[in-house]
Amino acid sequence: MATIDLSKLVTADMKAAQTRQARIAAIIAERERRLGVGFAYDFGDTRGVHRIATSEQDMRGWDEVTKIANAMLALNDPVSTIDIVTEAGPVQVTAIEWQHILIAAAAFRQPIWTASFALQAMNPIPLDVTDDQYWL
Amino acid sequence: MIIQFCPQLRGDTLSLSRAGDRLIVNGDTIDLSATPDGAELPADAISNDWLVGTVRRIADVLHLTLILPHDADAPESVRFPADIVDPADGPITLPGEA
């Protein structure tokens, strides 16, 4: 009689769980890609419209600028400027202007997070999680 | 049960019979009854070298692949064997056998 190592048995439930985990990983990868695309921000003056980068590395820079802006606001300094570099080039912003950029970034980024959570909650998760219809 | 074959030029022979979910390969019984529907077993989980590839039960039908030994002048029906679908219990006629 041949012996069978049932510890190597992969059940339908296990396969479904593996598939789901793989699709969740794909959703997270797509979310990161979309978060990193960046967005256009209109300063509404001579500085014009700048494309602002939002890759993971860029977001570390955002944290730095946000700390500086928060310190300025805590010191009631609405005038001093912070040097930042967008994809259009260097530009100066006040602490308040930086807050506006943060709000604009939230408007760009939050729907992406929301869509990714909705996708992860689907059962079954769609095969093509990169389809725009799931991210609008 | 659906039996597929992996033809190999080799000197030994294969005899095969079925008893429900049990397959008797050259006298060695492989009991696949513990494989539930939708599950799969890699070949290395089963201590029989004739079985290659993954054993799957799909829609309550076992799918498996066995080595089919043949000699150098084997006919095309052995070198490119058809699957055996739902063989009856008892001895199984292999590709190329009368």
Side-chain angles (χ1 to χ4, degrees), chain A residues 10 22 39 43 47-48 52 55 78-79 81 90 94 96 99 103 108 111 113-114 119 131:
Chain A
V10 180
F39 65 98
F43 282 96
R47 289 171 292 185
I52 300 186
S55 71
V79 178
T81 57
T94 65
I96 292 294
Q99 305 308 306
I103 295 297
F108 161 70
W113 282 96
T114 302
L119 261 172
D131 192 322

Side-chain angles (χ1 to χ4, degrees), chain A residues 22-62:
Chain A
R23 291 196 186 156
I24 286 173
I27 292 168
I28 291 169
E30 178 64 8
R31 181 181 72 203
E32 294 307 307
R33 186 191 73 75
R34 287 175 180 267
L35 287 173
V37 165
F39 65 98
Y41 181 79
D42 187 352
F43 282 96
D45 56 22
T46 55
R47 289 171 292 185
V49 177
H50 284 237
R51 182 145 200 96
I52 300 186
T54 52
S55 71
E56 206 170 309
Q57 187 176 348
D58 294 320
M59 296 315 290
R60 284 198 289 274
W62 281 59

